[in-house]
């Protein structure tokens, strides 16, 4: 091969890293390294968009809840879960945070949406909703579409 490919971005021997890795990419080890990098980048890109949209509660008034998730993420009528973060778990040996658990405390239905926030009405749950509680969309996260093939733009036909 005359160049290096990182998850679809090509570098020819005249470009960025190609001159440095051009000869290396022709060796069996070079081919294995490049294949590993491409697979890693592919797996990383595959996960983008795989998590549901989420944000935080910024205000509550009775059963109305404002959260910092706007029109680019949620739509009117969409359901949101409300999660409360539990106690932070600290490793006693290292002092490093191991994270915390989350408990669902209710559900909301989005009634109004603006560019940067939404207003939702509580539809279930009895615990009070606090500023900073997490809201998570129940809509399926959009996947990434991949082309059936890729042509190297630096390749001449």
């Amino acid at each position: 091969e005359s160049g290096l490919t990182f998850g679809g971005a090509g570098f020819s021997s005249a470009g960025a890293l190609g001159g440095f890795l051009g000869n290396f990419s022709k060796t069996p080890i070079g081919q294995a390294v490049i294949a590993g990098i491409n697979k890693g980048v592919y797996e990383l890109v595959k996960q983008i968009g795989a998590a549901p949209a989420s944000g935080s509660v910024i205000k509550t008034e009775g059963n109305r809840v404002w959260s910092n998730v706007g029109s680019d993420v949620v739509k009117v009528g969409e359901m949101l879960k409300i999660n409360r973060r539990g106690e932070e778990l600290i490793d006693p040996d290292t002092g490093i945070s191991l994270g915390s658990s989350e408990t669902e405390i209710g559900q909301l239905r989005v009634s109004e949406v603006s560019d940067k926030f939404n207003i939702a009405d509580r539809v279930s749950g009895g615990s009070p909703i606090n500023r900073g509680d997490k809201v998570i969309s129940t809509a399926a996260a959009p996947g990434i579409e991949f082309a059936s093939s890729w042509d190297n733009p630096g390749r001449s036909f």
Side-chain angles (χ1 to χ4, degrees):
E1 297 289 327
S2 63
L4 174 65
T5 304
F6 287 105
F11 298 96
S12 69
S13 59
L17 296 174
F20 174 69
L21 294 174
N23 290 333
F24 178 69
S25 68
K26 296 176 186 175
T27 68
I29 293 174
Q31 292 286 318
V33 167
I34 292 167
I37 291 170
N38 281 331
K39 181 165 176 40
V41 169
Y42 173 79
E43 293 299 324
L44 181 66
V45 169
K46 227 172 40 170
Q47 292 180 26
I48 296 173
S54 65
S56 297
V57 171
I58 54 177
K59 174 183 171 179
T60 63
E61 284 182 6
N63 284 330
R64 301 207 23 115
V65 178
W66 285 254
S67 64
N68 62 357
V69 182
S71 60
D72 59 334
V73 179
V74 295
K75 308 284 181 250
V76 171
E78 190 170 324
M79 296 296 292
L80 304 172
K81 295 187 301 184
I82 310 165
N83 284 2
R84 170 127 339 120
R85 184 176 175 181
E87 177 184 358
E88 187 173 9
L89 303 171
I90 306 295
D91 186 312
D93 295 330
T94 65
I96 296 173
S97 172
L98 302 175
S100 63
S101 60
E102 287 188 1
T103 304
E104 185 175 331
I105 61 169
Q107 292 198 346
L108 307 169
R109 178 174 288 115
V110 176
S111 57
E112 298 175 40
V113 180
S114 74
D115 288 346
K116 301 205 184 247
F117 67 92
N118 74 76
I119 303 171
D121 299 308
R122 185 176 205 152
V123 294
S124 70
S127 297
I129 300 170
N130 300 324
R131 179 180 169 95
D133 284 342
K134 187 173 184 179
V135 293
I136 304 168
S137 173
T138 60
I144 292 180
E145 295 182 24
F146 293 95
S148 58
S149 66
W150 179 76
D151 289 328
N152 184 342
R155 197 170 168 193
S156 56
F157 295 96

